[in-house]
Amino acid sequence: MGGEETVSGGGTDLKRVCAKDLCCYKIPLFRSWFQGLIVLCLLVFVSSLGFSDSALSWSENLHRHFYGVFNQSRQMNAPAYRVHPKHKAILDEINKNAESSGEHPGGLQYHQAYPRNYQFVMDNAEVCKNNTPFLVLMVPVEPENVAARDAIRQTWGKDTVVQDKVVLTLFMLGLREGGDVEGLRQENEQHHDLIQSNFMDTYLNLTIKTMVIMDWLATRCPTAAYAMKVDSDMFLNIDNLVIMLKTPGIPKMNYLTGMLMWNRPVVRSKNSKWYVPEELYPDSRYPTYTLGMGYVFSNDLPAKFVEVSKAIKPFNIEDAYIGMCIKKLGLSPTSPPNPSQFRAYNSKYNRCEFSKIITYILGSSEQLKNYWADYKKPGPHC
């Protein structure tokens, strides 16, 4: 070939020697080019990390890439603020519209926990229109946890009139991959107490779940006087709660009460289920908040929480996030008239003790049913 004949001297001799095995020079040449390319890529990669806008170290970037901002224990391997695949397009469209309109340059910075970004796929909007409730109990629960819902329906969520006041008990659910859609539909047709939104129902999404509860109260049930977010593993003495809310002097607006948490440190251990990274919450301590097992609030607050949440970066500790919301509003939680009524754990069941409290955390749905059956037996409690 013409190109080959232009090579002279040692080069021509080498070509002749290698004529039977071209690999003798092509492979080393290929290897050298390939190694050089790898080195070049590594240099570009390291340089880009070193001069990135975020000025993160190489290890921090790697940590973010592989673990995400919520690096939990091995049992908590779901990414934070998971978005259902069918819902991602909606969020993308919201971001696109917000950016193009100039309303939120760069998109919705804190869109993950803002409840208006999600839609209700199952609703019971009419329940507050038929009877204006004095109190609405909103119970966040996993879609598959039918046992917890049934236990509550048989115990403290059974009565719709308590101390001559209308009380509603409703369950807030998100989505689960492979969830029993038909089973939930039938359950709701029977009880008319399920509300489901299209966020992914995970522990790390509890802030979303709580804010969706607030949005439902603000838009579907604004005429209620009070509401309570109460966990599904609770013993709730509903009579004592209504008596407390009927006490003269209890505020009808800007009221949030429960077991108050003062000066609580932010957990930075990545092995803890309560871990919060500094980039989501930089302060070392939370503002005063009410423990998430069960807190009560006047029903003017949900709309205010939803609005102010636009300006508060979400993190995965939902009760502390509500504490941030009320602080941003220039308000603060109020200690209940009798703080000893809001209890977390008990060592053992005592009929007299349970007649005095409002909340206790329990171990199972069966425990709730057993305790309730004994508590409701005729005769004096003490």
Side-chain angles (χ1 to χ4, degrees):
M1 296 293 182
E4 292 176 355
E5 291 172 357
T6 59
V7 181
S8 60
T12 304
D13 293 338
L14 180 62
K15 283 177 63 179
R16 286 174 181 162
V17 171
C18 293
K20 294 182 180 179
D21 189 2
L22 294 176
C23 292
C24 72
Y25 72 96
K26 285 188 177 180
I27 287 179
L29 184 62
F30 172 77
R31 284 176 177 167
S32 63
W33 275 102
F34 183 73
Q35 291 168 349
L37 183 61
I38 291 176
V39 172
L40 180 61
C41 290
L42 285 173
L43 287 173
V44 171
F45 177 67
V46 173
S47 298
S48 67
L49 292 177
F51 295 99
S52 63
D53 293 336
S54 59
L56 292 170
S57 69
W58 180 82
S59 61
E60 288 172 326
N61 272 281
L62 206 59
H63 176 267
R64 276 190 171 190
H65 177 72
F66 285 108
Y67 296 99
V69 293
F70 291 123
N71 183 13
Q72 299 287 334
S73 63
R74 281 174 288 185
Q75 292 86 359
M76 305 293 298
N77 57 8
Y81 300 121
R82 289 187 64 198
V83 178
H84 193 274
K86 293 181 181 178
H87 186 49
K88 187 177 185 303
I90 299 173
L91 289 180
D92 290 343
E93 186 66 22
I94 290 172
N95 274 332
K96 181 180 177 182
N97 292 339
E99 187 169 10
S100 61
S101 67
E103 182 180 357
H104 298 283
L108 294 176
Q109 187 178 5
Y110 304 143
H111 75 272
Q112 297 102 324
Y114 182 55
R116 300 279 167 83
N117 293 330
Y118 303 89
Q119 287 78 44
F120 294 107
V121 296
M122 184 182 297
D123 204 350
N124 282 285
E126 73 287 347
V127 292
C128 288
K129 297 177 182 177
N130 299 335
N131 290 295
T132 300
F134 173 74
L135 172 65
V136 183
L137 304 173
M138 301 294 291
V139 186
V141 62
E142 302 88 350
E144 66 274 15
N145 199 351
V146 182
R149 295 193 290 273
D150 282 342
I152 291 169
R153 290 177 183 127
Q154 296 168 31
T155 57
W156 51 260
K158 181 179 181 180
D159 296 329
T160 57
V161 178
V162 178
Q163 301 289 325
D164 72 23
K165 295 293 186 180
V166 175
V167 177
L168 294 180
T169 302
L170 300 167
F171 302 96
M172 176 62 71
L173 295 65
L175 298 181
R176 292 277 205 190
E177 294 178 3
D180 184 5
V181 176
E182 180 59 23
L184 289 175
R185 186 190 65 80
Q186 292 178 4
E187 182 184 348
N188 189 52
E189 283 187 357
Q190 180 180 356
H191 299 286
H192 304 285
D193 59 4
L194 300 186
I195 303 166
Q196 188 174 35
S197 181
N198 60 349
F199 60 88
M200 292 304 293
D201 201 318
T202 66
Y203 182 81
L204 291 174
N205 279 1
L206 279 179
T207 300
I208 294 176
K209 200 170 193 176
T210 301
M211 294 310 298
V212 170
I213 284 175
M214 298 300 173
D215 185 55
W216 191 92
L217 289 167
T219 57
R220 268 62 166 183
C221 202
T223 57
Y226 296 96
M228 181 180 191
K229 178 262 175 183
V230 53
D231 287 346
S232 61
D233 59 351
M234 300 297 297
F235 181 99
L236 180 66
N237 191 318
I238 186 67
D239 287 283
N240 287 347
L241 174 58
V242 174
I243 290 170
M244 184 198 81
L245 291 174
K246 290 169 60 179
T247 302
I250 292 294
K252 293 179 170 56
M253 297 185 68
N254 297 328
Y255 183 60
L256 171 65
T257 193
M259 180 180 280
L260 267 57
M261 299 285 107
W262 292 282
N263 203 30
R264 301 296 293 181
V266 180
V267 177
R268 300 300 188 194
S269 170
K270 294 173 184 176
N271 293 323
S272 170
K273 67 186 290 188
W274 298 289
Y275 163 66
V276 176
E278 288 188 37
E279 59 260 37
L280 290 186
Y281 190 86
D283 294 345
S284 61
R285 295 188 177 273
Y286 292 120
T288 301
Y289 65 92
T290 47
L291 194 63
M293 63 174 186
Y295 47 84
V296 187
F297 44 93
S298 55
N299 203 39
D300 62 305
L301 282 179
K304 297 173 183 177
F305 288 153
V306 169
E307 183 61 26
V308 79
S309 71
K310 295 178 183 177
I312 302 175
K313 193 170 187 176
F315 54 94
N316 52 310
I317 309 300
E318 62 90 13
D319 45 10
Y321 185 77
I322 292 297
M324 284 293 296
C325 288
I326 199 161
K327 180 182 178 181
K328 188 80 171 178
L329 290 169
L331 305 170
S332 59
T334 303
S335 181
N338 183 356
S340 67
Q341 288 188 300
F342 286 85
R343 301 281 188 89
Y345 294 97
N346 67 303
S347 57
K348 62 180 180 179
Y349 172 75
N350 180 283
R351 179 178 161 89
C352 180
E353 174 71 14
F354 273 62
S355 70
K356 299 175 182 178
I357 55 90
I358 290 176
T359 64
Y360 260 137
I361 300 174
L362 301 182
S364 68
S365 298
E366 286 302 313
Q367 198 174 58
L368 170 59
K369 290 188 288 186
N370 293 336
Y371 287 3
W372 189 264
D374 184 82
Y375 172 73
K376 284 294 184 178
K377 287 191 304 187
H381 291 101
C382 298

